[in-house]
Amino acid sequence: MNFYIFISVTAIAVSLDGMLAGFAMGVKSKFSCRFPLIAAAMTFLLCAAASLLGTLVSGHFGDAVCSAGAVFLILMGAVNFFRKESPVQSRPGLKESLAVGTAVAADAAVANLSVCLMGYDSMLVPLFFAAAHFVMVSLGYLLANVSPLARLRHTGKTAGVLLAAVGILKLLQ
């Protein structure tokens, strides 16, 4: 298979959870480029690290990293669910953006490691994955702010439930 087709399809597949996380963040805040940019930056950093370590680390660590990212999303969902309801924020906080961005980037790093172990050790892979995460997180964010989906914003616990659901789905994979 052509390298660019393979990497593009893989990048889209590993960024689908980013779209759901973007949707969850969009339910509780108005659109801001901050979260998609942070998610893309964390994806690039983790994937670049995976590329650099790909020749040193065997594939058996991949499941543990992916599971840790899933558990982290579940915890972030629980925190959002049990947090006292507040009005819609103008944008998510930096700490929350970093935490959720790192969690959705973890599976991209595992996929990047797998791709490296298959012999595709190009530094283009982290760029593809980061770009796909930016697009998918932004798409999820925008979908959450489009009517009639914007009405979900009035159910204050939606973001927490969605983040936890993404984490549970990642654990079940």
Side-chain angles (χ1 to χ4, degrees):
M1 180 184 285
N2 180 313
F3 171 76
Y4 294 106
I5 293 172
F6 173 72
I7 295 304
S8 296
V9 170
T10 305
I12 291 169
V14 300
S15 63
L16 287 175
D17 64 333
M19 186 172 81
L20 293 174
F23 185 86
M25 297 296 276
V27 164
K28 57 185 260 169
S29 63
K30 295 177 184 166
F31 182 78
S32 165
C33 281
R34 174 190 257 179
F35 178 62
L37 284 172
I38 288 174
M42 294 308 299
T43 300
F44 178 78
L45 291 173
L46 290 177
C47 288
S51 289
L52 293 173
L53 297 174
T55 57
L56 303 174
V57 179
S58 63
H60 63 274
F61 289 115
D63 290 337
V65 173
C66 193
S67 295
V71 169
F72 202 69
L73 279 175
I74 293 169
L75 291 174
M76 288 301 299
V79 166
N80 275 294
F81 184 82
F82 291 110
R83 180 181 291 161
K84 185 177 177 182
E85 284 194 41
S86 61
V88 174
Q89 302 171 2
S90 60
R91 64 182 183 185
L94 180 62
K95 289 180 184 178
E96 184 176 27
S97 294
L98 282 170
V100 176
T102 302
V104 299
D107 63 331
V110 172
N112 193 116
L113 180 61
S114 299
V115 167
C116 287
L117 293 173
M118 290 188 302
Y120 299 107
D121 59 356
S122 171
M123 284 304 285
L124 287 176
V125 176
L127 289 173
F128 270 80
F129 285 10
H133 270 72
F134 179 80
V135 169
M136 296 302 268
V137 167
S138 296
L139 180 62
Y141 223 129
L142 292 172
L143 284 173
N145 287 285
V146 174
S147 213
L149 298 175
R151 284 186 240 154
L152 288 173
R153 176 173 286 124
H154 300 294
T155 60
K157 305 299 182 185
T158 304
V161 170
L162 288 173
L163 285 174
V166 171
I168 291 168
L169 287 173
K170 286 178 72 162
L171 274 178
L172 296 175
Q173 289 179 347

